[in-house]
Amino acid sequence: MDEFEKILRKSSGSMKKWGLLEDGDDVLIGLSGGKDSLALVEVMAARQKIFVPRIKVMACHVGVKNVPYKSDIDYLRHFCEERGVEFIYKETEFELDRHDGRSPCFLCSWTRRKMLFRTAGELGCNKLALGHHKDDIVETLLLNEIFTGRIETMMPRMEMRKFNLTVIRPLCDVREKEISEMAKAHQYRQQIKNCPYEDDGNRRKVKNLVRELEEWNPDVVSSLYGSMFRHGKGDMEEND
């Protein structure tokens, strides 16, 4: 069994366990262009070919005009269309000086997320699929505990009543290293120019912390992942 089949099997189990897909869903994928979102496109394209539940899948890449990075739009469009997924491109921007204390990384992420919400509404999509994996969810838990004192993280399914939209994370049970192996096997192309802020901020430090903890306990990610769902906590990021 190759890496894609393993990831597809895990994500299919997650979709069933968390009730992520229902018959008649119109799903918009948030396509950043990184390995996680490209893997998500492959998974959702495969699910689109299954008759039960019957779904329609589209993908949207959001460019941020005032952040100096560059995505290969032609590659992303071809990647999607080759798999039977409609591709949409949107642009947005944000102003740093109006948000003291908020990092460029946070502002860029939230601005792109809001554009995805708006685009989903314009297209009549009732689900927004994001490429967060198991490691992302554990890192978010640690970030919230360390910096806010709250036991909260990103849930596999999150109702966004304000936007009449449900956010789903089909890769929630997949490890980042599994996606990396699949990206290498499928020869995913990287962005033309990477974001200058991607290695900044606390998330990178927490990622390194998790690696250190794995030296003590190789199963620490699974342990933390299981503990947070026993608390039943929601996603602080999407309640902002």
Side-chain angles (χ1 to χ4, degrees), residues 135-137 139-140 143 154 200-208 237:
D135 297 70
D136 288 327
I137 292 172
E139 289 159 15
T140 300
L143 280 167
M154 301 182 290
D200 293 342
N202 293 316
R203 184 167 287 274
R204 175 63 58 181
K205 296 175 184 176
V206 167
K207 186 180 288 289
N208 292 334
E237 184 181 35

Side-chain angles (χ1 to χ4, degrees), residues 21-34:
L21 294 180
E22 298 158 293
D23 200 50
D25 279 346
D26 289 311
V27 184
L28 181 67
I29 300 169
L31 176 59
S32 69

Side-chain angles (χ1 to χ4, degrees), residues 87-100:
F87 175 81
I88 299 106
Y89 177 66
K90 296 284 188 176
E91 280 191 337
T92 187
E93 61 185 331
F94 63 89
E95 295 184 34
L96 288 173
D97 56 355
R98 291 188 180 182
H99 302 277
D100 294 336

Side-chain angles (χ1 to χ4, degrees), residues 140-154:
T140 300
L141 171 72
L142 292 174
L143 280 167
N144 286 335
E145 287 189 343
I146 292 168
F147 293 101
T148 72
R150 293 186 286 186
I151 304 175
E152 293 182 327
T153 191
M154 301 182 290

Side-chain angles (χ1 to χ4, degrees), residues 35-226:
K35 67 182 188 309
D36 306 331
S37 63
L38 290 171
L40 181 60
V41 168
E42 292 211 67
V43 165
M44 298 305 293
R47 293 295 303 177
Q48 185 174 234
K49 296 177 182 178
I50 298 174
F51 286 97
V52 180
R54 195 64 174 165
I55 65 171
K56 180 182 178 182
V57 177
M58 294 168 271
C60 179
H61 177 74
V62 179
V64 182
K65 290 185 282 188
N66 57 329
V67 175
Y69 74 94
K70 187 176 181 182
S71 299
D72 190 336
I73 304 302
D74 289 337
Y75 170 71
L76 296 179
R77 185 184 302 278
H78 177 73
F79 186 92
C80 291
E81 293 178 351
E82 189 176 46
R83 291 159 177 80
V85 175
E86 182 182 349
F87 175 81
I88 299 106
Y89 177 66
K90 296 284 188 176
E91 280 191 337
T92 187
E93 61 185 331
F94 63 89
E95 295 184 34
L96 288 173
D97 56 355
R98 291 188 180 182
H99 302 277
D100 294 336
R102 293 188 174 188
S103 70
C105 187
F106 171 86
L107 287 171
C108 180
S109 176
W110 182 236
T111 301
R112 285 187 289 113
R113 188 75 57 86
K114 286 192 290 186
M115 177 57 76
L116 288 173
F117 292 159
R118 187 181 310 164
T119 302
E122 291 171 355
L123 296 172
C125 294
N126 63 312
K127 299 277 176 72
L128 172 63
L130 301 177
H132 298 118
H133 45 66
K134 196 171 188 177
D135 297 70
D136 288 327
I137 292 172
V138 167
E139 289 159 15
T140 300
L141 171 72
L142 292 174
L143 280 167
N144 286 335
E145 287 189 343
I146 292 168
F147 293 101
T148 72
R150 293 186 286 186
I151 304 175
E152 293 182 327
T153 191
M154 301 182 290
M155 297 296 287
R157 177 182 174 120
M158 182 73 182
E159 304 292 336
M160 304 291 295
R161 293 183 178 84
K162 180 179 177 181
F163 299 95
N164 195 28
L165 186 68
T166 300
V167 173
I168 60 173
R169 295 180 168 91
L171 303 180
C172 62
D173 289 303
V174 178
R175 291 297 308 271
E176 183 176 16
K177 59 187 177 183
E178 295 175 299
I179 297 175
S180 296
E181 290 171 3
M182 175 176 154
K184 183 177 180 180
H186 289 204
Q187 299 181 321
Y188 289 169
R189 190 180 300 175
Q190 294 185 338
Q191 295 180 111
I192 298 173
K193 183 179 180 182
N194 290 332
C195 175
Y197 305 120
E198 67 180 359
D199 289 326
D200 293 342
N202 293 316
R203 184 167 287 274
R204 175 63 58 181
K205 296 175 184 176
V206 167
K207 186 180 288 289
N208 292 334
L209 173 62
V210 171
R211 289 174 182 164
E212 292 181 24
L213 292 173
E214 284 185 309
E215 294 179 6
W216 299 350
N217 174 17
D219 296 322
V220 68
V221 169
S222 293
S223 296
L224 291 169
Y225 184 80

